[in-house]
């Protein structure tokens, strides 16, 4: 495959510190123009500088930034072509920046430090079908009402205490795939 025809790029555990650094390090930046899948699992990313990546990779549909050092989702909104986003196993405390991701179908936020789901309100109307929140600190049933505007989701796994709540059962009937 010619470098300018690459649709996927996987860089595991290479110590990449920023998306801007990744873009600048590519010998042929035009190769990023056809990039659809970017996997930067287990690097050293501390922020999502989507504004550096978005112009270089306008067709990017799937981004895996799991197992990095991300404490914030700020900057992800610049990556408007995303269909799948994996931010599992980071240091995230809140959900943010999803409003511009109008094509997002899969969002993995498992094993972070998220306590509230209010940031999902900005994703209402998106075709989100899969949401993985396992291993977070979402502690109250009240938080489930933020799932209400995500009508494409289907519930597959809810904590027992959540399944027992009438509000959760009503919301769950209209959802598609969620792991909490």
């Amino acid at each position: 495959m010619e470098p300018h025809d690459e649709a996927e790029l996987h860089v595991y555990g290479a110590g990449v510190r920023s998306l801007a650094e990744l873009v600048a390090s590519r010998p042929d930046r035009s190769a990023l123009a056809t990039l659809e899948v970017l996997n930067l699992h287990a690097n050293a990313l501390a922020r999502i500088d989507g504004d550096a990546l978005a112009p270089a990779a306008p067709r990017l549909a799937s981004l895996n930034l799991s197992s990095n050092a991300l404490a914030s989702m700020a900057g992800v909104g610049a990556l408007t072509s995303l269909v799948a986003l994996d931010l599992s196993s980071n240091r995230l405390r809140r959900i943010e920046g999803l409003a511009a991701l109008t094509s997002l179908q899969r969002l993995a936020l498992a094993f972070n430090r998220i306590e509230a789901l209010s940031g999902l309100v900005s994703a209402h109307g998106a075709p989100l079908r899969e949401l993985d929140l396992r291993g977070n600190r979402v502690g109250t049933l009240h938080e489930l009402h933020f799932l209400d505007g995500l009508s494409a989701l289907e519930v597959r796994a809810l904590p027992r205490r959540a399944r027992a709540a009438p509000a959760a059962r009503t919301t769950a009937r209209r959802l598609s795939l969620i792991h909490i």
Side-chain angles (χ1 to χ4, degrees):
M1 181 181 285
E2 295 292 335
H4 63 277
D5 291 334
E6 290 179 16
E8 296 188 17
L9 177 60
H10 302 274
V11 182
Y12 303 113
V16 176
R17 292 173 297 183
S18 76
L19 297 174
E21 174 187 313
L22 176 76
V23 171
S25 72
R26 301 304 296 169
D28 181 10
R29 290 190 194 161
S30 65
L32 294 174
T34 59
L35 189 66
E36 295 176 9
V37 175
L38 178 58
N39 188 336
L40 295 174
H41 171 76
N43 276 281
L45 293 168
R47 70 182 184 286
I48 303 171
D49 40 355
D51 55 338
L53 181 60
R59 294 177 48 190
L60 188 64
S62 179
L63 179 61
N64 183 339
L65 301 179
S66 63
S67 298
N68 276 282
L70 299 171
S72 170
M73 292 174 64
V76 74
L79 302 168
T80 57
S81 60
L82 288 180
V83 174
L85 177 61
D86 188 344
L87 299 175
S88 299
S89 299
N90 277 287
R91 299 175 185 161
L92 301 175
R93 294 190 178 276
R94 64 185 186 146
I95 300 169
E96 60 186 325
L98 299 176
L101 304 184
T102 57
S103 299
L104 194 64
Q105 295 178 21
R106 290 185 310 279
L107 177 60
L109 297 170
F111 307 107
N112 279 288
R113 300 171 184 169
I114 297 168
E115 296 179 359
L117 302 180
S118 57
L120 291 172
V121 168
S122 63
H124 287 183
L128 195 62
R129 293 189 328 221
E130 295 179 26
L131 175 61
D132 189 348
L133 292 166
R134 291 173 294 146
N136 278 288
R137 299 176 179 174
V138 179
T140 67
L141 294 176
H142 172 73
E143 292 300 317
L144 293 178
H145 83 31
F146 292 110
L147 302 176
D148 213 24
L150 302 171
S151 58
L153 282 174
E154 177 184 319
V155 173
R156 279 210 185 151
L158 283 175
R160 282 192 179 111
R161 68 180 190 269
R163 286 192 297 256
R169 285 195 306 267
T170 302
T171 300
R173 278 189 215 110
R174 300 182 324 102
L175 302 169
S176 184
L177 175 59
I178 181 172
H179 299 285
I180 296 181

